[in-house]
Amino acid sequence: MAGSSHGHTPAAWTGVIIAFIGFCAAGAFVVLAQPVGFWVSMGVVCLGGVAGGVMRAMGMGAPKSASEPLVMADRPTANREAAVAKG
């Protein structure tokens, strides 16, 4: 994954941060036995996905060409032999 821009965009960071805050709040409401707060927090988690999708649609996500896997055709691959147990 080092050769791709997987998740390194403002849209991805924003969506994940919002979802993380909602997840942490939902966990706190579970401990406090507050079902309404839990479900509101789960809505915040879903809002994180929506916010990331809207920002990606606005052009703050990875470009379509960057979402394809990186192919390193000019780099030779090393062939390794399978390890054989000596015994």
Side-chain angles (χ1 to χ4, degrees), residues 25-35 37-38:
F29 283 118
V30 165
V31 172
L32 295 172
Q34 298 291 324
F38 169 78

Side-chain angles (χ1 to χ4, degrees), residues 1 3-7 56 61-70:
M1 285 285 161
S4 68
S5 62
H6 180 73
R56 184 179 65 195
K64 294 292 182 183
S65 61
S67 63
E68 297 173 8
L70 180 64

Side-chain angles (χ1 to χ4, degrees), residues 3-51:
S4 68
S5 62
H6 180 73
H8 299 288
T9 63
W13 278 100
T14 302
V16 167
I17 289 171
I18 292 172
F20 181 71
I21 291 169
F23 179 77
C24 290
F29 283 118
V30 165
V31 172
L32 295 172
Q34 298 291 324
V36 174
F38 169 78
W39 288 111
V40 170
S41 299
M42 292 308 292
V44 172
V45 171
C46 294
L47 184 66
V50 171

